[in-house]
């Protein structure tokens, strides 16, 4: 069968015992390597799992899924996913393809940013729709995500923003010329996301979030060196939380005083944080 295994958020030891047993017994093991990354290299995973891994890039997963599924009707084929198997729609597509081919499939779950973001102290029940922020270019600045953020804001809910990563992707010029020459990997930071959010707000002018709106940036969540920072979007746009991966949370209007007490520990500047909180949420 096809077994899609979640790896968790940080390193090789985050895999579940159930997942590790499946990996060790499988005929082939693929490592999905473009929707997210672990904080350790492939060779460290191979050493811990005791077997080789086949890197599955976007092109293979989206265009050559039959190659991954070959032989899965008679042997176990494992597809490793950072976080939880259902954290990206691509993995649902792979499971649908297995279903079409009458290949049995199952998933082994793990922690994902969708639940681990609760480490900020913001209550998961108070989150609305999750959105993705892509890298802007000079000529391409998509803002469809803004409508989802605005909807969350209107009903008082926080917004988790997942940030763009570019792994094994060609430049527009090389893509136009049909050349398989790839750009160096890039990972969006919480600071870049906050800056782009302010840029879109200035363009749209619909008042969802401004420079003084409060947000929480997280980096390397689940690792020993995870970092968090809370402040205004302006402050976050100037922040440096270190190496990837990063995410950003925009606070909703329903923010509770217990959430305030928790995230204040990570304030870039406590006086500014307190002032903005009182203006936006009332004195606690």
């Amino acid at each position: 069968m096809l077994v899609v295994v979640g790896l968790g958020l940080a390193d090789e030891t985050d895999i579940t015992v159930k997942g590790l047993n499946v990996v060790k017994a499988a005929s082939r093991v693929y490592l999905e390597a473009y929707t997210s990354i672990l904080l350790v290299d492939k060779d460290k995973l191979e050493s811990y799992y005791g077997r080789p891994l086949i890197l599955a890039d976007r092109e293979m997963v989206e265009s050559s899924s039959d190659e991954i599924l070959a032989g899965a009707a008679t042997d176990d084929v494992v597809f490793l996913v950072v976080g939880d198997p259902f954290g990206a729609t691509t993995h649902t597509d792979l499971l649908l393809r297995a279903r079409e081919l009458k290949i049995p499939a199952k998933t082994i779950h793990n922690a994902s940013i969708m639940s681990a973001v609760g480490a900020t102290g913001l209550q998961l029940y108070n989150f609305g729709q999750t959105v993705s922020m892509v890298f802007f270019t000079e000529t391409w600045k998509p803002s469809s995500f803004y409508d989802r953020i605005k909807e969350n804001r209107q009903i008082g809910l926080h917004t988790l923003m997942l940030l763009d990563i570019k792994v094994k992707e060609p430049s527009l010029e090389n893509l136009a010329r049909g050349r398989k020459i790839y750009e160096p990997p890039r990972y969006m930071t919480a600071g870049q996301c906050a800056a782009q959010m302010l840029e879109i707000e200035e363009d749209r002018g619909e008042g969802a979030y401004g420079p003084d709106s409060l947000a929480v940036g997280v980096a390397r969540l689940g690792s020993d060196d995870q970092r968090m920072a809370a402040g205004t979007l302006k402050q976050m746009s100037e922040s440096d939380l270190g190496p990837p991966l990063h995410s950003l949370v925009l606070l909703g209007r329903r923010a509770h005083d217990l959430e305030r007490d928790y995230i204040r520990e990570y304030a870039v500047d406590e006086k500014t944080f307190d002032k903005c909180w009182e203006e936006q949420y009332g004195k606690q």
Side-chain angles (χ1 to χ4, degrees):
M1 65 167 57
L2 170 70
V3 188
V4 185
V5 177
L7 294 180
L9 294 170
D11 60 34
E12 72 279 10
T13 64
D14 281 348
I15 192 170
T16 64
V17 173
K18 182 184 291 186
L20 183 59
N21 288 337
V22 168
V23 167
K24 288 180 176 294
S27 61
R28 297 194 313 280
V29 183
Y30 293 89
L31 174 63
E32 188 265 270
Y34 68 91
T35 60
S36 188
I37 59 166
L38 282 182
L39 305 180
V40 294
D41 294 331
K42 171 174 168 280
D43 56 355
K44 198 163 187 178
L45 296 179
E46 291 177 327
S47 176
Y48 188 78
Y49 300 157
R51 58 170 313 136
L53 305 179
I54 305 167
L55 278 182
D57 59 19
R58 182 187 298 273
E59 183 177 351
M60 173 183 285
V61 178
E62 294 185 350
S63 304
S64 305
S65 60
D66 286 353
E67 179 181 336
I68 296 172
L69 296 172
T74 55
D75 294 301
D76 286 343
V77 173
V78 169
F79 188 76
L80 302 177
V81 176
V82 176
D84 187 79
F86 290 105
T89 55
T90 296
H91 312 130
T92 305
D93 290 342
L94 183 63
L95 288 162
L96 284 172
R97 181 59 181 152
R99 184 183 296 175
E100 290 172 2
L101 296 172
K102 309 299 183 187
I103 294 171
K106 72 176 182 179
T107 59
I108 298 176
H109 296 282
N110 210 318
S112 84
I113 185 63
M114 306 289 281
S115 58
V117 71
T120 58
L122 299 174
Q123 298 170 12
L124 293 180
Y125 288 131
N126 287 342
F127 278 78
Q129 303 167 87
T130 298
V131 303
S132 297
M133 175 72 84
V134 301
F135 281 111
F136 289 173
T137 69
E138 290 295 326
T139 58
W140 189 62
K141 298 179 181 181
S143 63
S144 58
F145 69 89
Y146 184 90
D147 298 317
R148 308 288 80 75
I149 287 174
K150 189 177 176 184
E151 290 171 2
N152 288 345
R153 179 71 166 174
Q154 288 170 342
I155 56 177
L157 300 179
H158 308 314
T159 299
L160 170 61
M161 303 188 75
L162 304 179
L163 312 188
D164 200 6
I165 71 173
K166 299 289 187 185
V167 179
K168 198 179 178 183
E169 294 197 15
S171 66
L172 290 176
E173 179 183 353
N174 287 327
L175 189 63
R177 295 175 180 272
R179 298 184 301 205
K180 288 192 174 183
I181 302 175
Y182 302 105
E183 297 286 285
R186 288 193 297 153
Y187 308 95
M188 183 179 289
T189 66
Q192 289 171 318
C193 178
Q196 290 189 178
M197 181 65 204
L198 290 174
E199 186 176 350
I200 289 297
E201 182 60 62
E202 186 174 348
D203 290 343
R204 297 280 294 256
E206 298 176 32
Y209 286 87
D212 292 332
S213 298
L214 291 174
V216 181
V218 298
R220 302 173 302 285
L221 199 57
S223 71
D224 291 337
D225 69 337
Q226 72 178 26
R227 283 192 61 191
M228 302 184 199
T232 66
L233 271 179
K234 176 63 175 173
Q235 288 174 327
M236 293 309 304
S237 71
E238 299 166 350
S239 68
D240 180 5
L241 297 181
L245 293 170
H246 293 194
S247 299
L248 187 72
V249 180
L250 305 176
L251 267 64
R253 297 183 192 276
R254 291 186 191 175
H256 191 273
D257 56 348
L258 291 177
E259 294 177 302
R260 172 198 178 277
D261 292 345
Y262 201 97
I263 63 176
R264 189 176 185 271
E265 175 74 19
Y266 308 113
V268 174
D269 177 79
E270 290 184 355
K271 289 184 178 179
T272 302
F273 180 87
D274 290 343
K275 178 176 179 291
C276 291
W277 187 279
E278 183 172 340
E279 291 173 350
Q280 296 167 39
Y281 305 104
K283 192 170 184 178
Q284 302 294 329

